[in-house]
Amino acid sequence: FSTFPGMPKWRKNHLTYRIVNYTQDLPRAAVDSAIKKALKVWEGVTPLTFTRMLEGEADIMISFAVREHGDFYPFDGPGNRLAHAYPPGPEFYGDVHFDDDEKWTEDASGTNLFLVAAHELGHSLGLFHSTDTKALMYPLYNSFTDLTRFRLSQDDVDGIQFLYGPPPPSPAEPEVPAESSPLESGTLVKCDPALSFDAVSTLRGEILFFKNRYFWRKLHWKPQPELNLISTFWPSLPSDLDAAYEVISKDAVFIFKGRKFWEVRGNDVQAGYPRSIHTLGFPATIRKIDAAVSDKEKKKTYFFTEDKYWRFDEKSQSMEKGFPRFIADDFPGVDGKVDAVLQAFGFFYFFSGSTQFEFDPNARKVTHVLKSNSWLMC
Amino acid sequence: YPLNGAVKEENPNMDFAQKYLKNYYNLAKDVNQVYRRKDNGPVVKKIQEMQKFLGLEVTGKLDSNTLEVIRKPRCGVPDVGQ
């Protein structure tokens, strides 16, 4: 599963919806029923509830339209694009639009309204598309779905509960502490003083702080960092990364996990990856790296493994002789295993657990010791 | 016209595929089929990305299977974040 960029979600559990207009393909009652049934699909696995409004501005406005319909995402006649929806938020966000050039039906003889509505409402709640071909949130319409036994896939349930957690225990069930979603359950509180990072990298002027399957994205024009799933932008990358660094001259970010590494440019994972880290010149004894950073001035990339580091020459594309060297010898004061390294403002920032060492390469000394999450406005 | 290769005859499948990749996979709007470069790098990469996302064999080519899938009805929301 994945969520929209910035991970928008409703900040309340009781949402409203309104069916603004109707298709001529079906009786109104059939449309009402299909929408209600589609909402129940999500209600059943979350704390969310949906109340219908007959007028005014509801959170989720549902309408039928053809071709250009005022949102710069025109429909395209019969087939191809069936519908679209917007992620949670004010005004047109959260809304669902159905292409009325489709033949909307209650069964599978045409385009089943319930099935498409359940998918689009997944978007209205904050889910992006899934690569799981069995998931409701898979982008292609599956006309062979057995409508009589429709069920969300585990991927759909994992996705929506990642955002909203599971439904509250019903009165009959024993009171168990409702496990909230990872966002609330503390596993991902950005100002947790114990927070550490898996990897940190710049990317086209932004700074990315990777943790588990997520990353915080620090945009210089936005004080608050944005939390995203790695899969939202790079569906093929793994989670729990080891290291990441940007080579600005190549407009590329290199991502490491275990013996493999990937090159990404913006959204695009470059062809021919993953490659083995040993192609960079590491001996076979090295099974992973802990951290990496590329010095754009010197055109050297530093790789950190346990208590040593290596230096890679970006011009000759080769590991330099005389390495590895002890980190303590050349970066005095940087203690402990290095989780991640960032170069900014002429300093190197070494992240080790919840501690961050600001290192001045000219003075060759640690100038500040900070909390790792100081970059996240904590 | 690019010196290193004549503009190939129009390929309706490629047109449809490029439109699909622009709509759903962030293929840059300026990748214009008229200036089709020999290696067609960005489009091939995007075809591979789309094939991987949709669970197809990653060939980087508009094989029949891929063409069949991109003509299937779908949701209008993109598959990859901007």
Side-chain angles (χ1 to χ4, degrees), chain A residues 196-201 203 208-216 228-231 234-245 253-264 269 274 288-292 337-340:
Chain A
S196 62
F197 296 119
D198 295 336
V200 178
S201 175
L203 185 151
L208 312 181
F209 298 84
F210 292 93
K211 179 72 178 176
N212 304 347
R213 59 196 305 190
Y214 319 101
F215 68 97
W216 279 278
N228 287 293
L229 280 159
I230 294 172
S231 60
W234 304 286
S236 60
L237 286 188
S239 53
D240 302 299
L241 301 177
D242 290 335
Y245 65 88
V253 172
F254 292 86
I255 308 265
F256 290 73
K257 179 166 185 180
R259 289 185 173 82
K260 296 178 186 170
F261 74 104
W262 292 257
E263 177 183 352
V264 300
V269 177
K288 71 184 280 285
I289 61 166
D290 298 331
K337 171 177 169 298
V338 176
D339 294 330

Side-chain angles (χ1 to χ4, degrees), chain A residues 155-202:
Chain A
D155 180 78
D156 297 312
V157 175
D158 292 348
I160 203 71
Q161 293 190 352
F162 163 74
L163 288 171
Y164 300 100
S170 61
E173 283 169 33
E175 191 69 25
V176 288
E179 174 209 335
S180 62
S181 75
L183 282 177
E184 278 92 27
S185 64
T187 51
L188 260 186
V189 176
K190 69 181 171 73
C191 289
D192 175 351
L195 184 69
S196 62
F197 296 119
D198 295 336
V200 178
S201 175
T202 54

